[in-house]
Amino acid sequence: MSSVVQNMMTAAATPDTPVPPVAKKVPHVHKYFDVETPDDYHWMKDMSKDKHPDIISNLEAENTYAKDVHLDPNSALITTIYDEFVSRIQEDDAEVPVFKDPYFYYKRTEKGKQYPIYARRRTSMTDSAEEVLLNQNELTFEYQSVGLYKVSPDHRTLAYSLDTTGDEIFTIYFKDLATGAIMERDTIRNASMEGEWTNDMKAFYYTVLDDIHRTDRVYKHVVGTDAAMDKLIFKEDDQKFAVDLEKTNSGQYILIGVGSSLTTEYYTLDANSADAELKLFHPRELRHKYFVDHQNDKFLILTDGGGKFLNFKLCATPLDKTGQDHWTDLLPYDPLTHLTGMTPFKTHVALYSRSEGLEQIKIIQSSGPDSAITPDSSSYTLEFEEDMYSLTPAGTSAQNYASSVLRFTYASMLTPPRVIGHDTTTRKHNILKETHVPNYDRTKYAMKRIYAPIPKDTVVKAPGDTPTPDKIPISLVYSKDSKQDGSQPCLLYGYGSYGISIDPNFNAKLFSFVDRGYVYAIAHIRGGGECGRAWYECGKFQHKRNTFTDFVAAADQLVKEKYTAHDRMAIEGRSAGGLLIGATLNLRPDVAAVAIAGVPFVDVVNTMMDDKIPLTINEYEEWGYILDRTFFDYISTYSPYENLKSVTRAFPDLLVKAGLNDPRVQYWEPQKWVAKLRALRREKAVAAAAAADDDESGKSGIDSEEGVIVFDCKMGSGHFGHSGRYAYLREVAADYAFVVDRISKSMQKKKEKKEEGQATRAVL
């Protein structure tokens, strides 16, 4: 045995040196088509409720190592950052109330309490007593997430749902608001988080989950009866499709939406009667996506025409003739503007869209008080003072169909959220509330959007030749005192899947980075929806690798423009964004010094090949039908776990997050990934030591040489981490501390090497 190997073993045995867990290997070979792939950590996959003791033991060992190598050594820094987070929130706070005659409904928080308090006041916010409807702080669950919260139209009964494990399976409770008692007979278990009242208060519609965690059924519950007697209203058998439930802004219809990534279908129920008959709106057609709402004597539709109108167009149809043959255009199709949603009112419609990477709201006026919209010269687009920002519709629960006022939230990377009431008669904004952020001075900071060129060999055409930008937007926030000389550390965040947009929103926490000299950046990469539907299409299926090369291009552009350097950059992504991190590190392991992969989807091939895993089948339309050899071969080129064939010294310090009860990305994906990473590092270290033989200059230890891997698995929660606001802030503070600590060490190492080189040159 070489002396270097001996040193490694001695170092591992030293009590002061945390030793990374060594997961056992159990030989297993996957055979897909004619491809055989060894998977020594397949044993970690356990879909039963009670996990095998060896799995729990390994996860606990990882959590102990995380505590020893990160949480305990950085405890003071974690507390400091946590205190900074808390100092920038208004702990006693309340939402802008929503008036539903005769009550004002709102949610508020109290200092020191983990959860919100749901309340209402009758007629006036100042002259009436508060009535607390639900105080989460009085519940005793370690994890608790409220799904639906719906008061009946007569204001007498509250329906709310709770997930108490993080597995996103909810129990729906009905509370008599006159007595405060839970109506035990009505309690519904194993439900999803959606539900709607009928206007006659007699019935409550809700959705439930199947064995693969897909919302597949709609039931009707008659208030006051045993939930076991609930009537099945709708069932979707195609496992690629999931069911959702919502009420139109007018309150006149309950919509049952059935959708996959490529196709949608709607059914309507008259919300005024518990005995309403379910009606098909328009039958599904493969690759035809459409969305429905109601206004006066018409239904409004956003449709992509089966792909002919990739960014959607706005149509209308009579209430009794909902088939596509009766749809008429209300606006001409604009291939450069992605219509993303609508909120109809009695006299106007708010139309949400994206153009050139920015959100917009267009107000389309009606020609008369009781007629459907007719676009004319009175229509207009809202204007905002900043060059980049984020707009969030308030949702139908906060709107009044008969009102002239649209409610939404405006924010930017420098402007805290403003709840705005826009009056369509005066065309003026009324700021109902701007979130107060203590200890924050926006004049100290700057925000900017820069662009990275799309790598030439990744340029692809979108369906229908829909135009797409030729550059990747990157949103930045940084201190005005920072120097653009490449010396600043940086955190680059990315996602890039499902057409989801990561907008330049306000996040008070990130100033704990910025105040330490960091540049905070968001890469708006293909696969996301920031630049329209075509931007998404150019980063999915057999263009998925574009998401990863875009992210690398964004990182390189930040270095090129001297906002940072690769050896002082951290990168972060969660869920599908965790796939982004894993694939990026395989592609360019030297792209950053530190990486955070939160609940990462990294075992793509093995997960997609198992249709028994929750949510897998409906993912075929996002990643590709992997049982088709063409898609299998392509996915196999980027799946992070399968492509971990070697680990270079440039591979960064890595923090991996997971939740044992996560139904979206199962815990074993990051667990297997980390185990394989550790094994490859050990093999490499042993090989290097053997080659060095008795070279005593070899470094002892593995993580100290290669960079640390920390795996933190929450044993009592799911995809989103802790549910309590303070517990969540402390969890994020630990993530921030990992970045700050490891970037500091990286910068110090570079400084020492530079000084060592200078000293050597001086001697020579």
Side-chain angles (χ1 to χ4, degrees):
M1 178 181 295
S2 77
S3 57
V4 176
V5 175
Q6 195 78 36
N7 288 343
M8 289 171 56
M9 295 177 64
T10 302
T14 303
D16 294 336
T17 306
V19 180
V22 178
K24 68 179 181 180
K25 292 186 177 182
V26 178
H28 181 87
V29 176
H30 299 287
K31 185 171 183 178
Y32 306 130
F33 299 101
D34 57 353
V35 179
E36 292 189 353
T37 306
D39 184 1
D40 293 339
Y41 303 105
H42 177 72
W43 64 269
M44 293 177 171
K45 175 183 173 181
D46 187 348
M47 295 173 64
S48 64
K49 184 176 181 180
D50 298 319
K51 310 303 179 192
H52 192 282
D54 287 352
I55 294 171
I56 300 299
S57 177
N58 177 256
L59 292 174
E60 290 175 341
E62 288 287 0
N63 284 342
T64 298
Y65 180 69
K67 183 175 183 293
D68 292 342
V69 80
H70 165 47
L71 298 175
D72 283 353
N74 289 324
S75 60
L77 178 58
I78 292 170
T79 298
T80 296
I81 295 174
Y82 169 79
D83 289 342
E84 292 169 6
F85 287 174
V86 175
S87 76
R88 287 193 293 269
I89 63 173
Q90 186 71 33
E91 295 183 80
D92 290 314
D93 202 4
E95 290 182 342
V96 178
V98 175
F99 184 64
K100 300 291 183 181
D101 193 19
Y103 289 97
F104 287 92
Y105 288 90
Y106 57 94
K107 182 170 66 175
R108 63 180 179 84
T109 56
E110 291 183 357
K111 183 176 181 179
K113 293 185 177 180
Q114 292 275 17
Y115 296 100
I117 298 166
Y118 299 79
R120 69 183 180 186
R121 293 176 187 266
R122 190 179 181 93
T123 307
S124 168
M125 284 295 292
T126 56
D127 299 329
S128 59
E130 178 180 80
E131 180 184 355
V132 174
L133 307 187
L134 176 64
N135 185 347
Q136 271 192 263
N137 301 287
E138 295 177 351
L139 304 177
T140 58
F141 304 105
E142 179 181 353
Y143 179 96
Q144 48 176 289
S145 174
V146 171
L148 67 87
Y149 174 85
K150 298 282 177 74
V151 178
S152 60
D154 63 0
H155 307 281
R156 295 179 179 179
T157 309
L158 167 65
Y160 69 94
S161 65
L162 277 179
D163 164 19
T164 58
T165 66
D167 63 2
E168 300 178 47
I169 299 175
F170 291 81
T171 298
I172 302 175
Y173 300 94
F174 294 85
K175 183 177 182 179
D176 185 325
L177 296 180
T179 65
I182 298 296
M183 301 157 62
E184 297 290 351
R185 190 182 184 192
D186 292 81
T187 299
I188 301 166
R189 306 191 186 280
N190 300 315
S192 180
M193 61 184 294
E194 298 173 320
E196 294 289 352
W197 289 96
T198 57
N199 295 336
D200 60 9
M201 284 73 70
K202 294 180 180 179
F204 187 84
Y205 292 97
Y206 62 95
T207 57
V208 300
L209 300 159
D210 65 6
D211 293 339
I212 58 171
H213 220 83
R214 173 184 65 108
T215 49
D216 71 325
R217 284 158 289 165
V218 178
Y219 282 90
K220 180 175 72 174
H221 173 69
V222 177
V223 180
T225 66
D226 192 327
M229 304 301 293
D230 290 353
K231 181 181 179 181
L232 177 65
I233 298 299
F234 179 85
K235 186 176 188 297
E236 174 54 48
D237 293 321
D238 189 331
Q239 292 183 325
K240 295 191 299 297
F241 288 80
V243 177
D244 62 47
L245 195 65
E246 61 180 332
K247 187 178 280 188
T248 60
N249 194 43
S250 66
Q252 297 305 301
Y253 292 91
I254 293 172
L255 302 174
I256 295 177
V258 187
S260 69
S261 180
L262 298 175
T263 308
T264 60
E265 179 180 64
Y266 277 86
Y267 295 80
T268 64
L269 284 162
D270 185 342
N272 294 307
S273 171
D275 299 319
E277 183 179 323
L278 189 68
K279 296 181 179 180
L280 173 64
F281 190 88
H282 177 70
R284 75 187 68 175
E285 300 168 303
L286 180 62
R287 296 181 180 271
H288 181 198
K289 291 179 71 75
Y290 70 92
F291 304 96
V292 177
D293 213 319
H294 165 250
Q295 190 203 42
N296 303 332
D297 61 351
K298 296 283 194 297
F299 283 113
L300 302 180
I301 308 107
L302 291 178
T303 173
D304 70 357
K308 291 184 292 185
F309 314 109
L310 192 64
N311 279 326
F312 292 87
K313 67 174 180 176
L314 179 63
C315 300
T317 196
L319 298 180
D320 60 347
K321 297 178 180 178
T322 59
Q324 188 174 3
D325 291 345
H326 302 285
W327 299 0
T328 57
D329 292 356
L330 289 177
L331 291 176
Y333 175 62
D334 180 357
L336 298 178
T337 301
H338 180 203
L339 304 184
T340 58
M342 57 182 166
T343 304
F345 293 80
K346 192 175 183 66
T347 60
H348 62 281
V349 171
L351 190 63
Y352 308 101
S353 64
R354 289 181 178 274
S355 181
E356 298 181 353
L358 286 176
E359 297 172 280
Q360 297 176 337
I361 301 176
K362 185 172 186 173
I363 303 299
I364 305 175
Q365 305 281 17
S366 296
S367 58
D370 295 316
S371 63
I373 58 171
T374 303
D376 54 28
S377 59
S378 63
S379 301
Y380 61 97
T381 300
L382 276 57
E383 295 183 355
F384 305 99
E385 65 271 22
E386 294 176 293
D387 293 333
M388 45 189 260
Y389 51 82
S390 175
L391 302 174
T392 306
T396 57
S397 63
Q399 311 287 1
N400 184 338
Y401 178 69
S403 173
S404 64
V405 177
L406 166 73
R407 183 180 290 192
F408 62 93
T409 299
Y410 171 94
S412 75
M413 295 181 87
L414 296 184
T415 302
R418 294 173 178 170
V419 179
I420 292 176
H422 175 79
D423 193 322
T424 59
T425 57
T426 63
R427 300 193 180 188
K428 291 183 178 180
H429 293 341
N430 179 22
I431 300 178
L432 305 176
K433 176 185 178 180
E434 179 168 326
T435 301
H436 176 57
V437 183
N439 302 308
Y440 169 68
D441 179 2
R442 68 166 293 160
T443 64
K444 295 168 55 179
Y445 310 105
M447 66 178 183
K448 186 178 183 180
R449 177 159 282 179
I450 65 172
Y451 297 87
I454 291 176
K456 290 182 180 179
D457 59 348
T458 70
V459 174
V460 295
K461 288 185 177 181
D465 288 336
T466 304
T468 58
D470 60 358
K471 295 181 180 179
I472 305 155
I474 309 167
S475 299
L476 312 177
V477 63
Y478 50 91
S479 171
K480 288 181 178 178
D481 296 333
S482 63
K483 298 177 181 179
Q484 195 173 330
D485 60 1
S487 64
Q488 311 97 305
C490 172
L491 176 67
L492 175 63
Y493 188 90
Y495 188 76
S497 290
Y498 300 103
I500 291 173
S501 300
I502 307 299
D503 290 310
N505 215 327
F506 186 81
N507 179 357
K509 296 186 291 297
L510 65 84
F511 293 98
S512 287
F513 277 134
V514 178
D515 287 344
R516 287 176 169 82
Y518 280 69
V519 174
Y520 183 88
I522 304 170
H524 306 292
I525 50 185
R526 285 176 290 177
E530 292 91 337
C531 298
R533 184 77 182 180
W535 196 246
Y536 164 52
E537 295 287 347
C538 290
K540 69 176 296 191
F541 287 155
Q542 289 176 293
H543 302 315
K544 188 63 211 170
R545 290 174 64 89
N546 291 347
T547 300
F548 319 135
T549 55
D550 280 6
F551 194 63
V552 171
D556 287 343
Q557 191 68 24
L558 288 166
V559 173
K560 181 179 180 180
E561 296 193 27
K562 296 186 177 181
Y563 284 100
T564 188
H566 287 298
D567 61 5
R568 56 197 60 198
M569 182 185 293
I571 56 176
E572 181 180 8
R574 286 182 52 86
S575 195
L579 161 63
L580 168 69
I581 298 303
T584 296
L585 294 182
N586 284 342
L587 186 68
R588 272 278 302 276
D590 62 342
V591 75
V594 177
I596 298 180
V599 290
F601 178 41
V602 284
D603 193 14
V604 184
V605 170
N606 293 322
T607 292
M608 293 301 294
M609 291 297 292
D610 186 351
D611 61 10
K612 299 298 189 296
I613 295 176
L615 306 178
T616 291
I617 293 175
N618 57 357
E619 294 287 281
Y620 291 157
E621 293 187 357
E622 178 66 25
W623 313 104
Y625 183 54
I626 200 168
L627 299 181
D628 178 325
R629 180 63 187 263
T630 302
F631 280 112
F632 170 81
D633 288 344
Y634 184 76
I635 294 171
S636 296
T637 67
Y638 67 75
S639 181
Y641 181 71
E642 286 78 11
N643 285 281
L644 272 181
K645 296 181 173 64
S646 64
V647 181
T648 71
R649 292 185 185 278
F651 208 82
D653 295 318
L654 182 61
L655 172 60
V656 183
K657 309 290 292 294
L660 184 63
N661 300 326
D662 189 346
R664 298 176 183 237
V665 178
Q666 305 286 334
Y667 71 90
W668 64 74
E669 294 201 36
Q671 185 183 20
K672 290 172 59 179
W673 188 50
V674 167
K676 189 173 181 179
L677 267 170
R678 293 201 191 286
L680 288 168
R681 289 188 173 192
R682 286 192 301 273
E683 291 168 8
K684 178 185 173 186
V686 170
D693 194 23
D694 292 329
D695 180 3
E696 296 297 336
S697 66
K699 299 286 183 72
S700 64
I702 299 174
D703 274 356
S704 60
E705 177 69 14
E706 296 284 4
V708 69
I709 301 173
V710 171
F711 180 32
D712 178 8
C713 182
K714 303 301 179 190
M715 305 300 280
S717 62
H719 198 66
F720 302 103
H722 287 292
S723 58
R725 62 171 176 162
Y726 293 107
Y728 174 74
L729 288 177
R730 186 166 288 278
E731 181 181 345
V732 177
D735 299 348
Y736 276 40
F738 181 84
V739 171
V740 171
D741 173 61
R742 304 312 299 186
I743 288 289
S744 176
K745 286 180 168 61
S746 173
M747 294 169 66
Q748 180 63 30
K749 185 180 294 186
K750 183 176 181 180
K751 179 182 177 183
E752 290 172 355
K753 286 184 177 180
K754 181 178 180 180
E755 292 173 347
E756 182 181 334
Q758 291 172 341
T760 300
R761 286 192 294 273
V763 170
L764 295 174

